[in-house]
Amino acid sequence: NAGVTQTPKFQVLKTGQSMTLQCAQDMNHNSMYWYRQDPGMGLRLIYYSASEGTTDKGEVPNGYNVSRLNKREFSLRLESAAPSQTSVYFCASRGGLSVTDVAKNIQYFGAGTRLSVL
Amino acid sequence: KNQVEQSPQSLIILEGKNCTLQCNYTVSPFSNLRWYKQDTGRGPVSLTIMTFSENTKSNGRYTATLDADTKQSSLHITASQLSDSASYICVVSNYGGSQGNLIFGKGTKLSVKP
């Protein structure tokens, strides 16, 4: 049981290049998320997918696109990378929203992708 | 505006000592509050999650408290160990009809020295 797996772990891009960050979870979770974490700031939500087939914008979606490929996989794409997108990116998943089963609300995070855009 | 404020920003303690981290929030409507531990270079890992009706929850040497009236939470670490060195993140959830309704604090960076 690997949990949440992100690839790659590190990436260096030049301004204007594109790339896709991959995320997969093996916990049969409904919801998946992409966050970015910058020094001195809390985790900020980029996009999320409440369930297979749906995606929604978070707090900082500009410059990104996502695809919920199936229940397991949720990818994040940078079409034209900019230096402002230099950050650590985390994928997370959780069972879903539940008032009665609080454990379902716990998010599980991947190890992160460290991206530098030069 | 929904906000989560944590204090202190950073803290250095000696191994074996206790410490308390604080979290104040202005999130409405409140659903639950979680504390995460994030080791350097790793993703956050859940320590505790508390709903409105819970005012304390323990996970080993970690004890979280919640005062929903004053909108404050604390994380108490007992008999600290070197492995407790990490950032501790307070996250508050509100049920605004959206799955993306988690508000993250900026974290407290704890360093435990031998």
Side-chain angles (χ1 to χ4, degrees):
Chain A
N1 187 337
V4 179
T5 303
Q6 290 184 236
T7 55
K9 287 184 169 39
F10 301 93
Q11 185 70 50
V12 179
L13 293 177
K14 294 181 179 178
T15 298
Q17 286 185 316
S18 62
M19 79 160 294
T20 299
L21 281 65
Q22 306 287 352
C23 175
Q25 52 92 7
D26 60 4
M27 296 173 281
N28 200 33
H29 283 170
N30 291 316
S31 305
M32 298 185 73
Y33 307 77
W34 276 105
Y35 293 92
R36 60 178 290 172
Q37 187 175 41
D38 301 295
M41 304 189 72
L43 284 151
R44 293 183 293 169
L45 182 66
I46 304 171
Y47 271 93
Y48 66 97
S49 171
S51 61
E52 186 179 357
T54 69
T55 60
D56 284 286
K57 295 179 180 179
E59 181 185 355
V60 289
N62 291 345
Y64 306 96
N65 285 300
V66 290
S67 294
R68 183 74 183 266
L69 304 170
N70 47 55
K71 192 171 186 180
R72 290 187 65 249
E73 299 172 289
F74 189 38
S75 63
L76 178 72
R77 183 161 178 84
L78 287 70
E79 291 291 352
S80 179
S84 61
Q85 294 178 304
T86 293
S87 187
V88 181
Y89 292 85
F90 288 100
C91 177
S93 71
R94 69 176 173 180
L97 273 180
S98 174
V99 176
T100 55
D101 185 359
V102 176
K104 289 185 70 176
N105 294 290
I106 295 174
Q107 279 185 318
Y108 295 84
F109 286 82
T113 294
R114 282 143 191 85
L115 175 66
S116 293
V117 183
L118 306 177
Chain B
K1 181 181 177 183
N2 288 327
Q3 281 187 315
V4 175
E5 301 284 346
Q6 291 187 244
S7 62
Q9 265 190 315
S10 61
L11 182 63
I12 300 173
I13 62 173
L14 293 176
E15 187 179 12
K17 298 296 185 183
N18 303 335
C19 68
T20 300
L21 313 181
Q22 300 290 345
C23 174
N24 296 336
Y25 61 92
T26 55
V27 176
S28 182
F30 173 87
S31 173
N32 58 70
L33 183 146
R34 320 107 183 270
W35 283 94
Y36 283 87
K37 178 187 180 188
Q38 185 176 20
D39 292 315
T40 300
R42 308 292 294 272
V45 175
S46 179
L47 291 175
T48 66
I49 181 169
M50 290 184 292
T51 60
F52 183 89
S53 60
E54 297 173 296
N55 55 23
T56 187
K57 185 167 278 190
S58 293
N59 179 357
R61 293 179 297 101
Y62 301 100
T63 299
T65 64
L66 173 64
D67 186 332
D69 291 331
T70 61
K71 299 187 177 181
Q72 296 179 325
S73 176
S74 65
L75 181 68
H76 186 73
I77 304 174
T78 304
S80 61
Q81 299 176 359
L82 298 179
S83 59
D84 292 330
S85 294
S87 287
Y88 292 84
I89 303 171
C90 177
V91 185
V92 180
S93 173
N94 68 345
Y95 284 145
S98 165
Q99 288 263 355
N101 51 1
L102 298 176
I103 299 93
F104 288 78
K106 295 179 181 180
T108 292
K109 185 171 183 178
L110 174 66
S111 297
V112 181
K113 303 295 186 184

PDB file of all heavy atoms in Angstrom, chain A residues 11-42:
ATOM      1  N   GLN A  11      12.296  18.595 -10.581  1.00  0.00           N
ATOM      2  CA  GLN A  11      12.252  18.986 -11.984  1.00  0.00           C
ATOM      3  C   GLN A  11      12.753  20.417 -12.119  1.00  0.00           C
ATOM      4  O   GLN A  11      12.402  21.276 -11.301  1.00  0.00           O
ATOM      5  CB  GLN A  11      10.834  18.892 -12.531  1.00  0.00           C
ATOM      6  CG  GLN A  11      10.697  19.173 -14.011  1.00  0.00           C
ATOM      7  CD  GLN A  11      11.303  18.074 -14.870  1.00  0.00           C
ATOM      8  OE1 GLN A  11      11.035  16.891 -14.678  1.00  0.00           O
ATOM      9  NE2 GLN A  11      12.112  18.481 -15.830  1.00  0.00           N
ATOM     10  N   VAL A  12      13.565  20.637 -13.155  1.00  0.00           N
ATOM     11  CA  VAL A  12      13.999  21.987 -13.498  1.00  0.00           C
ATOM     12  C   VAL A  12      13.509  22.276 -14.907  1.00  0.00           C
ATOM     13  O   VAL A  12      13.736  21.484 -15.827  1.00  0.00           O
ATOM     14  CB  VAL A  12      15.533  22.130 -13.426  1.00  0.00           C
ATOM     15  CG1 VAL A  12      15.934  23.545 -13.819  1.00  0.00           C
ATOM     16  CG2 VAL A  12      16.041  21.823 -12.016  1.00  0.00           C
ATOM     17  N   LEU A  13      12.833  23.389 -15.068  1.00  0.00           N
ATOM     18  CA  LEU A  13      12.298  23.791 -16.362  1.00  0.00           C
ATOM     19  C   LEU A  13      12.843  25.158 -16.748  1.00  0.00           C
ATOM     20  O   LEU A  13      13.201  25.958 -15.879  1.00  0.00           O
ATOM     21  CB  LEU A  13      10.776  23.879 -16.329  1.00  0.00           C
ATOM     22  CG  LEU A  13       9.958  22.617 -16.144  1.00  0.00           C
ATOM     23  CD1 LEU A  13       8.481  22.981 -16.070  1.00  0.00           C
ATOM     24  CD2 LEU A  13      10.214  21.631 -17.260  1.00  0.00           C
ATOM     25  N   LYS A  14      12.831  25.410 -18.044  1.00  0.00           N
ATOM     26  CA  LYS A  14      13.103  26.767 -18.513  1.00  0.00           C
ATOM     27  C   LYS A  14      11.771  27.466 -18.732  1.00  0.00           C
ATOM     28  O   LYS A  14      10.745  26.813 -19.009  1.00  0.00           O
ATOM     29  CB  LYS A  14      13.887  26.726 -19.823  1.00  0.00           C
ATOM     30  CG  LYS A  14      15.297  26.151 -19.682  1.00  0.00           C
ATOM     31  CD  LYS A  14      16.013  26.159 -21.017  1.00  0.00           C
ATOM     32  CE  LYS A  14      17.428  25.600 -20.862  1.00  0.00           C
ATOM     33  NZ  LYS A  14      18.142  25.551 -22.160  1.00  0.00           N
ATOM     34  N   THR A  15      11.773  28.773 -18.586  1.00  0.00           N
ATOM     35  CA  THR A  15      10.554  29.556 -18.802  1.00  0.00           C
ATOM     36  C   THR A  15       9.953  29.209 -20.161  1.00  0.00           C
ATOM     37  O   THR A  15      10.656  29.178 -21.170  1.00  0.00           O
ATOM     38  CB  THR A  15      10.862  31.054 -18.720  1.00  0.00           C
ATOM     39  OG1 THR A  15      11.337  31.354 -17.398  1.00  0.00           O
ATOM     40  CG2 THR A  15       9.636  31.882 -19.016  1.00  0.00           C
ATOM     41  N   GLY A  16       8.648  28.936 -20.152  1.00  0.00           N
ATOM     42  CA  GLY A  16       7.945  28.620 -21.380  1.00  0.00           C
ATOM     43  C   GLY A  16       7.800  27.143 -21.675  1.00  0.00           C
ATOM     44  O   GLY A  16       6.962  26.746 -22.491  1.00  0.00           O
ATOM     45  N   GLN A  17       8.582  26.309 -20.998  1.00  0.00           N
ATOM     46  CA  GLN A  17       8.449  24.874 -21.198  1.00  0.00           C
ATOM     47  C   GLN A  17       7.180  24.371 -20.519  1.00  0.00           C
ATOM     48  O   GLN A  17       6.624  25.014 -19.624  1.00  0.00           O
ATOM     49  CB  GLN A  17       9.659  24.129 -20.630  1.00  0.00           C
ATOM     50  CG  GLN A  17      10.910  24.288 -21.471  1.00  0.00           C
ATOM     51  CD  GLN A  17      12.059  23.436 -20.959  1.00  0.00           C
ATOM     52  OE1 GLN A  17      12.328  23.362 -19.766  1.00  0.00           O
ATOM     53  NE2 GLN A  17      12.760  22.779 -21.887  1.00  0.00           N
ATOM     54  N   SER A  18       6.738  23.203 -20.946  1.00  0.00           N
ATOM     55  CA  SER A  18       5.557  22.594 -20.346  1.00  0.00           C
ATOM     56  C   SER A  18       5.941  21.278 -19.686  1.00  0.00           C
ATOM     57  O   SER A  18       6.953  20.678 -20.023  1.00  0.00           O
ATOM     58  CB  SER A  18       4.482  22.341 -21.402  1.00  0.00           C
ATOM     59  OG  SER A  18       4.966  21.433 -22.376  1.00  0.00           O
ATOM     60  N   MET A  19       5.127  20.877 -18.729  1.00  0.00           N
ATOM     61  CA  MET A  19       5.335  19.578 -18.097  1.00  0.00           C
ATOM     62  C   MET A  19       4.072  19.173 -17.338  1.00  0.00           C
ATOM     63  O   MET A  19       3.210  20.001 -17.055  1.00  0.00           O
ATOM     64  CB  MET A  19       6.511  19.603 -17.136  1.00  0.00           C
ATOM     65  CG  MET A  19       6.247  20.220 -15.787  1.00  0.00           C
ATOM     66  SD  MET A  19       7.451  19.723 -14.532  1.00  0.00           S
ATOM     67  CE  MET A  19       7.117  17.980 -14.363  1.00  0.00           C
ATOM     68  N   THR A  20       4.011  17.878 -17.068  1.00  0.00           N
ATOM     69  CA  THR A  20       2.882  17.332 -16.316  1.00  0.00           C
ATOM     70  C   THR A  20       3.390  16.645 -15.068  1.00  0.00           C
ATOM     71  O   THR A  20       4.295  15.816 -15.132  1.00  0.00           O
ATOM     72  CB  THR A  20       2.092  16.323 -17.178  1.00  0.00           C
ATOM     73  OG1 THR A  20       1.579  17.000 -18.329  1.00  0.00           O
ATOM     74  CG2 THR A  20       0.931  15.742 -16.385  1.00  0.00           C
ATOM     75  N   LEU A  21       2.803  16.994 -13.941  1.00  0.00           N
ATOM     76  CA  LEU A  21       3.091  16.326 -12.679  1.00  0.00           C
ATOM     77  C   LEU A  21       2.047  15.223 -12.495  1.00  0.00           C
ATOM     78  O   LEU A  21       0.846  15.458 -12.646  1.00  0.00           O
ATOM     79  CB  LEU A  21       3.008  17.304 -11.506  1.00  0.00           C
ATOM     80  CG  LEU A  21       4.199  18.236 -11.258  1.00  0.00           C
ATOM     81  CD1 LEU A  21       4.371  19.216 -12.425  1.00  0.00           C
ATOM     82  CD2 LEU A  21       3.999  19.011  -9.964  1.00  0.00           C
ATOM     83  N   GLN A  22       2.554  14.039 -12.153  1.00  0.00           N
ATOM     84  CA  GLN A  22       1.668  12.894 -12.029  1.00  0.00           C
ATOM     85  C   GLN A  22       1.390  12.577 -10.560  1.00  0.00           C
ATOM     86  O   GLN A  22       2.249  12.756  -9.704  1.00  0.00           O
ATOM     87  CB  GLN A  22       2.297  11.661 -12.693  1.00  0.00           C
ATOM     88  CG  GLN A  22       2.716  11.850 -14.132  1.00  0.00           C
ATOM     89  CD  GLN A  22       1.546  11.922 -15.096  1.00  0.00           C
ATOM     90  OE1 GLN A  22       0.397  11.684 -14.718  1.00  0.00           O
ATOM     91  NE2 GLN A  22       1.830  12.254 -16.349  1.00  0.00           N
ATOM     92  N   CYS A  23       0.195  12.112 -10.301  1.00  0.00           N
ATOM     93  CA  CYS A  23      -0.183  11.713  -8.942  1.00  0.00           C
ATOM     94  C   CYS A  23      -1.094  10.501  -9.024  1.00  0.00           C
ATOM     95  O   CYS A  23      -2.040  10.487  -9.823  1.00  0.00           O
ATOM     96  CB  CYS A  23      -0.896  12.849  -8.224  1.00  0.00           C
ATOM     97  SG  CYS A  23      -1.521  12.403  -6.583  1.00  0.00           S
ATOM     98  N   ALA A  24      -0.832   9.510  -8.192  1.00  0.00           N
ATOM     99  CA  ALA A  24      -1.685   8.329  -8.129  1.00  0.00           C
ATOM    100  C   ALA A  24      -1.864   7.906  -6.678  1.00  0.00           C
ATOM    101  O   ALA A  24      -0.934   7.989  -5.886  1.00  0.00           O
ATOM    102  CB  ALA A  24      -1.074   7.184  -8.934  1.00  0.00           C
ATOM    103  N   GLN A  25      -3.087   7.453  -6.351  1.00  0.00           N
ATOM    104  CA  GLN A  25      -3.359   6.958  -4.998  1.00  0.00           C
ATOM    105  C   GLN A  25      -3.993   5.571  -5.095  1.00  0.00           C
ATOM    106  O   GLN A  25      -4.748   5.288  -6.014  1.00  0.00           O
ATOM    107  CB  GLN A  25      -4.255   7.938  -4.210  1.00  0.00           C
ATOM    108  CG  GLN A  25      -5.543   8.353  -4.907  1.00  0.00           C
ATOM    109  CD  GLN A  25      -6.738   7.495  -4.600  1.00  0.00           C
ATOM    110  OE1 GLN A  25      -6.687   6.619  -3.739  1.00  0.00           O
ATOM    111  NE2 GLN A  25      -7.833   7.732  -5.318  1.00  0.00           N
ATOM    112  N   ASP A  26      -3.649   4.751  -4.111  1.00  0.00           N
ATOM    113  CA  ASP A  26      -4.141   3.366  -4.120  1.00  0.00           C
ATOM    114  C   ASP A  26      -5.053   3.091  -2.923  1.00  0.00           C
ATOM    115  O   ASP A  26      -5.166   1.949  -2.462  1.00  0.00           O
ATOM    116  CB  ASP A  26      -2.966   2.387  -4.153  1.00  0.00           C
ATOM    117  CG  ASP A  26      -2.044   2.523  -2.950  1.00  0.00           C
ATOM    118  OD1 ASP A  26      -2.354   3.331  -2.036  1.00  0.00           O
ATOM    119  OD2 ASP A  26      -1.013   1.826  -2.907  1.00  0.00           O
ATOM    120  N   MET A  27      -5.708   4.124  -2.407  1.00  0.00           N
ATOM    121  CA  MET A  27      -6.568   3.978  -1.238  1.00  0.00           C
ATOM    122  C   MET A  27      -8.053   4.029  -1.600  1.00  0.00           C
ATOM    123  O   MET A  27      -8.905   4.125  -0.714  1.00  0.00           O
ATOM    124  CB  MET A  27      -6.227   5.084  -0.225  1.00  0.00           C
ATOM    125  CG  MET A  27      -4.806   4.945   0.315  1.00  0.00           C
ATOM    126  SD  MET A  27      -4.301   6.324   1.352  1.00  0.00           S
ATOM    127  CE  MET A  27      -3.909   7.550   0.117  1.00  0.00           C
ATOM    128  N   ASN A  28      -8.339   4.010  -2.899  1.00  0.00           N
ATOM    129  CA  ASN A  28      -9.724   4.050  -3.377  1.00  0.00           C
ATOM    130  C   ASN A  28     -10.456   5.321  -2.904  1.00  0.00           C
ATOM    131  O   ASN A  28     -11.663   5.298  -2.631  1.00  0.00           O
ATOM    132  CB  ASN A  28     -10.502   2.806  -2.926  1.00  0.00           C
ATOM    133  CG  ASN A  28     -11.739   2.568  -3.784  1.00  0.00           C
ATOM    134  OD1 ASN A  28     -11.741   2.860  -4.981  1.00  0.00           O
ATOM    135  ND2 ASN A  28     -12.798   2.074  -3.174  1.00  0.00           N
ATOM    136  N   HIS A  29      -9.705   6.412  -2.812  1.00  0.00           N
ATOM    137  CA  HIS A  29     -10.293   7.676  -2.374  1.00  0.00           C
ATOM    138  C   HIS A  29     -11.056   8.354  -3.501  1.00  0.00           C
ATOM    139  O   HIS A  29     -10.681   8.267  -4.670  1.00  0.00           O
ATOM    140  CB  HIS A  29      -9.197   8.613  -1.864  1.00  0.00           C
ATOM    141  CG  HIS A  29      -8.708   8.253  -0.501  1.00  0.00           C
ATOM    142  ND1 HIS A  29      -7.582   8.833   0.065  1.00  0.00           N
ATOM    143  CD2 HIS A  29      -9.193   7.405   0.436  1.00  0.00           C
ATOM    144  CE1 HIS A  29      -7.408   8.342   1.271  1.00  0.00           C
ATOM    145  NE2 HIS A  29      -8.373   7.471   1.520  1.00  0.00           N
ATOM    146  N   ASN A  30     -12.108   9.059  -3.112  1.00  0.00           N
ATOM    147  CA  ASN A  30     -12.905   9.778  -4.106  1.00  0.00           C
ATOM    148  C   ASN A  30     -12.284  11.112  -4.505  1.00  0.00           C
ATOM    149  O   ASN A  30     -12.328  11.513  -5.653  1.00  0.00           O
ATOM    150  CB  ASN A  30     -14.315  10.032  -3.563  1.00  0.00           C
ATOM    151  CG  ASN A  30     -15.114   8.756  -3.444  1.00  0.00           C
ATOM    152  OD1 ASN A  30     -15.107   7.929  -4.346  1.00  0.00           O
ATOM    153  ND2 ASN A  30     -15.790   8.589  -2.321  1.00  0.00           N
ATOM    154  N   SER A  31     -11.720  11.821  -3.513  1.00  0.00           N
ATOM    155  CA  SER A  31     -11.281  13.193  -3.740  1.00  0.00           C
ATOM    156  C   SER A  31      -9.762  13.286  -3.840  1.00  0.00           C
ATOM    157  O   SER A  31      -9.039  12.641  -3.082  1.00  0.00           O
ATOM    158  CB  SER A  31     -11.757  14.087  -2.593  1.00  0.00           C
ATOM    159  OG  SER A  31     -13.151  13.978  -2.431  1.00  0.00           O
ATOM    160  N   MET A  32      -9.327  14.130  -4.775  1.00  0.00           N
ATOM    161  CA  MET A  32      -7.889  14.364  -4.932  1.00  0.00           C
ATOM    162  C   MET A  32      -7.631  15.842  -5.106  1.00  0.00           C
ATOM    163  O   MET A  32      -8.506  16.583  -5.584  1.00  0.00           O
ATOM    164  CB  MET A  32      -7.348  13.553  -6.120  1.00  0.00           C
ATOM    165  CG  MET A  32      -7.488  12.048  -5.942  1.00  0.00           C
ATOM    166  SD  MET A  32      -6.740  11.069  -7.242  1.00  0.00           S
ATOM    167  CE  MET A  32      -4.986  11.278  -6.854  1.00  0.00           C
ATOM    168  N   TYR A  33      -6.418  16.269  -4.719  1.00  0.00           N
ATOM    169  CA  TYR A  33      -6.100  17.695  -4.635  1.00  0.00           C
ATOM    170  C   TYR A  33      -4.676  17.952  -5.124  1.00  0.00           C
ATOM    171  O   TYR A  33      -3.798  17.105  -4.970  1.00  0.00           O
ATOM    172  CB  TYR A  33      -6.181  18.176  -3.173  1.00  0.00           C
ATOM    173  CG  TYR A  33      -7.482  17.862  -2.483  1.00  0.00           C
ATOM    174  CD1 TYR A  33      -7.751  16.587  -2.013  1.00  0.00           C
ATOM    175  CD2 TYR A  33      -8.443  18.853  -2.294  1.00  0.00           C
ATOM    176  CE1 TYR A  33      -8.956  16.296  -1.389  1.00  0.00           C
ATOM    177  CE2 TYR A  33      -9.640  18.567  -1.668  1.00  0.00           C
ATOM    178  CZ  TYR A  33      -9.895  17.280  -1.222  1.00  0.00           C
ATOM    179  OH  TYR A  33     -11.087  17.003  -0.606  1.00  0.00           O
ATOM    180  N   TRP A  34      -4.487  19.162  -5.627  1.00  0.00           N
ATOM    181  CA  TRP A  34      -3.140  19.649  -5.899  1.00  0.00           C
ATOM    182  C   TRP A  34      -2.932  20.954  -5.133  1.00  0.00           C
ATOM    183  O   TRP A  34      -3.765  21.875  -5.219  1.00  0.00           O
ATOM    184  CB  TRP A  34      -2.917  19.921  -7.390  1.00  0.00           C
ATOM    185  CG  TRP A  34      -2.526  18.705  -8.155  1.00  0.00           C
ATOM    186  CD1 TRP A  34      -3.298  17.974  -9.004  1.00  0.00           C
ATOM    187  CD2 TRP A  34      -1.239  18.070  -8.153  1.00  0.00           C
ATOM    188  NE1 TRP A  34      -2.583  16.925  -9.527  1.00  0.00           N
ATOM    189  CE2 TRP A  34      -1.315  16.956  -9.008  1.00  0.00           C
ATOM    190  CE3 TRP A  34      -0.028  18.326  -7.497  1.00  0.00           C
ATOM    191  CZ2 TRP A  34      -0.235  16.111  -9.250  1.00  0.00           C
ATOM    192  CZ3 TRP A  34       1.042  17.488  -7.719  1.00  0.00           C
ATOM    193  CH2 TRP A  34       0.937  16.401  -8.599  1.00  0.00           C
ATOM    194  N   TYR A  35      -1.810  21.007  -4.375  1.00  0.00           N
ATOM    195  CA  TYR A  35      -1.437  22.192  -3.624  1.00  0.00           C
ATOM    196  C   TYR A  35      -0.036  22.638  -4.054  1.00  0.00           C
ATOM    197  O   TYR A  35       0.774  21.849  -4.527  1.00  0.00           O
ATOM    198  CB  TYR A  35      -1.368  21.894  -2.119  1.00  0.00           C
ATOM    199  CG  TYR A  35      -2.675  21.560  -1.462  1.00  0.00           C
ATOM    200  CD1 TYR A  35      -3.103  20.239  -1.347  1.00  0.00           C
ATOM    201  CD2 TYR A  35      -3.474  22.564  -0.916  1.00  0.00           C
ATOM    202  CE1 TYR A  35      -4.304  19.928  -0.723  1.00  0.00           C
ATOM    203  CE2 TYR A  35      -4.667  22.263  -0.282  1.00  0.00           C
ATOM    204  CZ  TYR A  35      -5.077  20.948  -0.190  1.00  0.00           C
ATOM    205  OH  TYR A  35      -6.257  20.648   0.434  1.00  0.00           O
ATOM    206  N   ARG A  36       0.249  23.896  -3.788  1.00  0.00           N
ATOM    207  CA  ARG A  36       1.613  24.373  -3.864  1.00  0.00           C
ATOM    208  C   ARG A  36       1.998  24.952  -2.504  1.00  0.00           C
ATOM    209  O   ARG A  36       1.132  25.487  -1.784  1.00  0.00           O
ATOM    210  CB  ARG A  36       1.824  25.402  -4.972  1.00  0.00           C
ATOM    211  CG  ARG A  36       1.012  26.654  -4.883  1.00  0.00           C
ATOM    212  CD  ARG A  36       1.359  27.623  -6.027  1.00  0.00           C
ATOM    213  NE  ARG A  36       2.692  28.210  -5.885  1.00  0.00           N
ATOM    214  CZ  ARG A  36       3.279  28.957  -6.817  1.00  0.00           C
ATOM    215  NH1 ARG A  36       2.656  29.210  -7.961  1.00  0.00           N
ATOM    216  NH2 ARG A  36       4.486  29.455  -6.617  1.00  0.00           N
ATOM    217  N   GLN A  37       3.263  24.803  -2.174  1.00  0.00           N
ATOM    218  CA  GLN A  37       3.761  25.299  -0.890  1.00  0.00           C
ATOM    219  C   GLN A  37       4.982  26.156  -1.147  1.00  0.00           C
ATOM    220  O   GLN A  37       5.979  25.696  -1.698  1.00  0.00           O
ATOM    221  CB  GLN A  37       4.113  24.136   0.045  1.00  0.00           C
ATOM    222  CG  GLN A  37       4.480  24.583   1.453  1.00  0.00           C
ATOM    223  CD  GLN A  37       4.716  23.410   2.389  1.00  0.00           C
ATOM    224  OE1 GLN A  37       5.319  22.410   2.012  1.00  0.00           O
ATOM    225  NE2 GLN A  37       4.217  23.512   3.621  1.00  0.00           N
ATOM    226  N   ASP A  38       4.890  27.404  -0.737  1.00  0.00           N
ATOM    227  CA  ASP A  38       5.977  28.355  -0.899  1.00  0.00           C
ATOM    228  C   ASP A  38       6.482  28.794   0.462  1.00  0.00           C
ATOM    229  O   ASP A  38       5.708  28.804   1.438  1.00  0.00           O
ATOM    230  CB  ASP A  38       5.484  29.555  -1.706  1.00  0.00           C
ATOM    231  CG  ASP A  38       4.976  29.155  -3.078  1.00  0.00           C
ATOM    232  OD1 ASP A  38       5.806  28.690  -3.875  1.00  0.00           O
ATOM    233  OD2 ASP A  38       3.760  29.275  -3.331  1.00  0.00           O
ATOM    234  N   PRO A  39       7.762  29.179   0.541  1.00  0.00           N
ATOM    235  CA  PRO A  39       8.332  29.586   1.829  1.00  0.00           C
ATOM    236  C   PRO A  39       7.508  30.689   2.491  1.00  0.00           C
ATOM    237  O   PRO A  39       7.123  31.662   1.847  1.00  0.00           O
ATOM    238  CB  PRO A  39       9.727  30.090   1.445  1.00  0.00           C
ATOM    239  CG  PRO A  39      10.050  29.350   0.193  1.00  0.00           C
ATOM    240  CD  PRO A  39       8.752  29.215  -0.548  1.00  0.00           C
ATOM    241  N   GLY A  40       7.220  30.513   3.782  1.00  0.00           N
ATOM    242  CA  GLY A  40       6.497  31.531   4.528  1.00  0.00           C
ATOM    243  C   GLY A  40       5.004  31.576   4.259  1.00  0.00           C
ATOM    244  O   GLY A  40       4.311  32.438   4.792  1.00  0.00           O
ATOM    245  N   MET A  41       4.513  30.642   3.453  1.00  0.00           N
ATOM    246  CA  MET A  41       3.082  30.625   3.147  1.00  0.00           C
ATOM    247  C   MET A  41       2.525  29.240   3.449  1.00  0.00           C
ATOM    248  O   MET A  41       3.231  28.244   3.395  1.00  0.00           O
ATOM    249  CB  MET A  41       2.841  30.975   1.688  1.00  0.00           C
ATOM    250  CG  MET A  41       3.429  32.307   1.282  1.00  0.00           C
ATOM    251  SD  MET A  41       2.921  32.824  -0.344  1.00  0.00           S
ATOM    252  CE  MET A  41       1.211  33.246  -0.027  1.00  0.00           C
ATOM    253  N   GLY A  42       1.261  29.207   3.744  1.00  0.00           N
ATOM    254  CA  GLY A  42       0.614  27.914   3.945  1.00  0.00           C
ATOM    255  C   GLY A  42       0.382  27.221   2.614  1.00  0.00           C
ATOM    256  O   GLY A  42       0.555  27.802   1.548  1.00  0.00           O
TER     257      GLY A  42
END
